[in-house]
Amino acid sequence: MNQDLAAGILKYQEPDQVEALRLAEDLSDAYTESLGSAAVDLWHVAQAVLLEAEVFWTFDADQRKLARSIKKFRVVL
């Protein structure tokens, strides 16, 4: 990973955590009642939105439902 960072293949970004928590709260208000989203799923999806990810990868079915529901990603896998 360090080699990929040094080569520019990967880049390190850290979203503002206060903004991430605010977005996670907004997502909770909009989707938790219908999807039953857990706090950690809301936080992960909010982080990806703030990082402007085009593709969202997850092995968690509930997280995948949330990511697809918000329609912010080109692809959700």
Side-chain angles (χ1 to χ4, degrees):
M1 190 177 292
N2 287 335
Q3 289 176 336
D4 288 345
L5 285 165
I9 295 168
L10 295 175
K11 72 178 180 178
Y12 178 80
Q13 285 185 290
E14 187 172 327
D16 180 279
Q17 296 305 309
V18 172
E19 190 177 355
L21 291 172
R22 285 186 185 135
L23 179 54
E25 185 175 9
D26 291 344
L27 292 173
S28 177
D29 290 345
Y31 295 99
T32 296
E33 188 173 331
S34 62
L35 298 178
S37 301
V40 69
D41 296 333
L42 294 159
W43 183 78
H44 281 146
V45 171
Q47 295 279 359
V49 169
L50 293 177
L51 290 171
E52 299 177 353
E54 292 183 21
V55 178
F56 187 88
W57 292 74
T58 183
F59 294 104
D60 185 283
D62 293 332
Q63 201 173 79
R64 188 177 304 110
K65 283 182 210 172
L66 175 62
R68 285 187 176 141
S69 294
I70 67 168
K71 299 180 182 353
K72 295 279 186 179
F73 307 104
R74 185 174 50 83
V75 177
V76 177
L77 302 170

